[in-house]
Amino acid sequence: MINEIYGVVATGTDWKFIKLCENTIFIDKNDYFIKEIDKILGILTTNLMACPQF
């Protein structure tokens, strides 16, 4: 059973992160820009490492 689904929406320069947990969606209110690539990669890595198959 899948408990959480992570998502990202990107225009190429602007990034937004979301998470669906059961019936609740969480939207990161921050906008991330490509010049903040360290933050973007950090968020992606943290979400991937939270998955049990990794």
Side-chain angles (χ1 to χ4, degrees):
M1 184 168 139
I2 298 173
N3 295 324
E4 297 177 339
I5 297 173
Y6 295 91
V8 62
V9 177
T11 65
T13 57
D14 302 353
W15 294 63
K16 200 74 155 159
F17 294 92
I18 59 174
K19 176 174 81 169
L20 176 63
C21 187
E22 296 184 13
N23 292 328
T24 305
I25 190 162
F26 298 91
I27 301 172
D28 188 340
K29 292 182 180 180
N30 296 313
D31 290 321
Y32 298 92
F33 303 97
I34 197 67
K35 66 180 180 177
E36 302 171 300
I37 192 68
D38 56 331
K39 290 182 183 179
I40 294 169
L41 292 175
I43 293 168
L44 291 171
T45 302
T46 300
N47 290 340
L48 284 174
M49 298 307 290
C51 298
Q53 65 268 25
F54 286 106

